[in-house]
Amino acid sequence: MPIFQSSTFAFEDADQGAARFSGKDSGYKYTRIANPTNAALECCIAELEGGAAGLATATGMSAISTVFMTFLGAGKHIVSTGSVYGPTRTLLENELTRFGVESTFVDTSDVKNIKAAIKGNTELIYIETPANPTLSITDIAAVAKIAKEAGALLVVDNTFCSPLLQKPIKLGADIVLHSMTKFINGHSDVVAGMLVASTLELRNKMHKVICQMGGTIDPHQAWLVLRGVKTLALRVKAAQASAMRLAEELEKHPKIEWVKYPGLKSHPQYELAKKQMSGPGAMISFELKGGVKAGKTVMDSVSLSTLAVSLGGIESLIQHPASMTHASMGPKARAEAGISDGLVRFSVGCEDYDDIKADLWQALDKI
Ligand code: LCS
């Protein structure tokens, strides 16, 4: 796919320009509205997700804010997973409240909590599964039923799985979104997002808003993601195989308090993970017996893995959600969401398994 590195598209004549703006001619006009490279990426991810159409966005947060700005407004209500990516929660709690939007955060791994939180003005049910960083899992099909009964739309953040491991639209979701910064691009060199709608009508509603809000992806960025996605299956399968082994070994390590990984029988939603995901993924959360202090020692002592936020790249990354990705949520919201101060998050990369393990184990020895 070429990079259409062009902000604008020449019209044959004034009538053609007018026809493009009136919608009679579907040709390209301006890159904020649509661009051929962006369109290729939108088709690719929409097909992988089994959706009707995609909208590529500048970042994952741009995809999330577009969904909120499209479907929420003064007097509208959203029910969301409590343990979501920190800025998703703070966007709702700190910014959208200024526009009269109400939000309720619950532990969506028990769908009864969603049912109890629904009100007459609930427009959206928003779930992140597996959740960042608790890796709690929500039953997408069960929530889709609840959303339908309530007349609300179900939006799923599928970032932790990628479409390779989970296809929420097939389970009844209305909209799926991604931070493509993560597994879909996979090389830690791009920030990008994607919205996939189950119907063209939903896509068109969001397209109108994104054109006005301006969160469109840049074509060069879209091209890099198109290149990255070609190896999605190879990367995710390799990282996942290492993650499974690493989680099992970590669980046996004497300095580890607990490990949370969807592939472990000890995961509270192990059976559900097996049912709705085609694999447990490459994200592991754990806590050390020495709590935050021991966690810091490990993070400061790794050398093959990188101490950095983000996830889903070919490089293994380690980080501390309470002081980094989820710091903005504040201690109360973190406690409610089950994000303990000692939780360490590990994004398993595609390095050789023995190297990843040796590096982490020498860091554990430093405690
Ligand atoms: N959704 C999830 C589940 C995420 O993990 C992130 C970013 C976003 C949305 C937002 O995407 P972005 O705008 O960054 O492309 N998560 C990050 C993380 O855990 N560490 O650094 C970024």
Side-chain angles (χ1 to χ4, degrees):
M1 187 66 201
I3 312 173
F4 283 78
Q5 193 73 53
S6 181
S7 59
T8 195
F9 298 86
F11 306 132
E12 299 279 330
D13 53 33
D15 282 343
Q16 189 190 49
R20 290 196 180 174
F21 274 89
S22 72
K24 282 192 196 114
D25 175 333
S26 61
Y28 290 99
K29 306 184 274 279
Y30 184 61
T31 283
R32 174 159 45 74
I33 302 166
N35 172 289
T37 313
N38 299 358
L41 178 60
E42 287 163 349
C43 283
C44 170
I45 308 299
E47 242 184 72
L48 290 177
E49 285 286 2
L55 284 171
T57 58
T59 62
M61 284 316 300
S62 166
I64 293 164
S65 54
T66 299
V67 167
F68 292 166
M69 291 304 285
T70 306
F71 300 104
L72 297 173
K76 305 286 189 201
H77 175 241
I78 173 173
V79 180
S80 166
T81 303
S83 169
V84 280
Y85 175 53
T88 303
R89 184 160 173 157
T90 48
L91 172 62
L92 286 166
E93 284 186 324
N94 301 352
E95 315 305 335
L96 291 183
T97 41
R98 295 189 284 118
F99 302 92
V101 173
E102 274 184 273
S103 42
T104 308
F105 297 91
V106 295
D107 175 3
T108 53
S109 68
D110 182 350
V111 297
K112 287 199 288 301
N113 294 332
I114 300 181
K115 239 181 176 163
I118 285 174
K119 305 200 276 191
N121 57 348
T122 304
E123 292 287 319
L124 289 184
I125 299 177
Y126 184 94
I127 59 176
E128 203 178 279
T129 179
N132 184 358
T134 60
L135 296 166
S136 280
I137 291 168
T138 301
D139 187 335
I140 300 170
V143 183
K145 248 191 226 161
I146 294 171
K148 215 162 245 145
E149 278 163 26
L153 293 174
L154 173 59
V155 181
V156 179
D157 185 333
N158 201 23
T159 298
F160 269 39
C161 276
S162 88
L164 189 78
L165 302 182
Q166 180 167 271
K167 298 191 193 290
I169 289 175
K170 298 211 162 138
L171 299 171
D174 298 291
I175 294 161
V176 174
L177 63 87
H178 285 278
S179 166
M180 297 197 297
T181 313
K182 313 294 168 0
F183 290 101
I184 290 180
N185 179 59
H187 293 78
S188 311
D189 51 9
V190 166
V191 286
M194 178 65 72
L195 290 162
V196 178
S198 58
T199 66
L200 274 181
E201 193 195 345
L202 289 173
R203 178 262 175 209
N204 291 344
K205 280 187 183 171
M206 293 190 289
H207 184 241
K208 232 185 239 169
V209 173
I210 200 165
C211 288
Q212 286 153 187
M213 297 286 292
T216 315
I217 198 169
D218 175 82
H220 186 254
Q221 204 185 342
W223 181 85
L224 283 167
V225 181
L226 274 168
R227 184 210 48 178
V229 77
K230 289 174 209 251
T231 53
L232 176 70
L234 296 171
R235 288 183 281 103
V236 171
K237 282 179 190 165
Q240 177 175 259
S242 293
M244 187 69 233
R245 288 174 73 187
L246 200 63
E248 281 172 346
E249 300 266 349
L250 274 172
E251 210 170 34
K252 287 185 247 159
H253 195 285
K255 289 183 180 166
I256 295 279
E257 180 70 33
W258 54 259
V259 180
K260 195 115 172 259
Y261 178 66
L264 291 177
K265 289 207 173 83
S266 58
H267 189 290
Q269 293 93 35
Y270 172 73
E271 292 299 331
L272 173 61
K274 266 209 305 198
K275 196 174 82 178
Q276 78 179 13
M277 294 156 65
S278 60
M283 298 299 297
I284 302 173
S285 286
F286 60 87
E287 185 158 336
L288 293 149
K289 285 192 175 138
V292 183
K293 193 162 171 270
K296 278 190 181 158
T297 303
V298 169
M299 287 184 282
D300 290 344
S301 306
V302 289
S303 64
L304 176 83
S305 302
T306 303
L307 173 56
V309 297
S310 202
L311 58 109
I314 55 162
E315 311 85 355
S316 293
L317 301 179
I318 192 165
Q319 70 110 5
H320 180 229
S323 66
M324 298 172 192
T325 49
H326 293 69
S328 65
M329 277 168 69
K332 190 169 167 271
R334 277 199 305 275
E336 273 170 25
I339 306 166
S340 59
D341 284 348
L343 188 154
V344 174
R345 194 188 72 185
F346 198 83
S347 172
V348 182
C350 296
E351 303 92 339
D352 185 84
Y353 173 75
D354 292 335
D355 291 342
I356 300 173
K357 187 186 163 191
D359 181 44
L360 193 55
W361 258 240
Q362 65 77 27
L364 288 163
D365 286 345
K366 300 265 162 60
I367 298 169

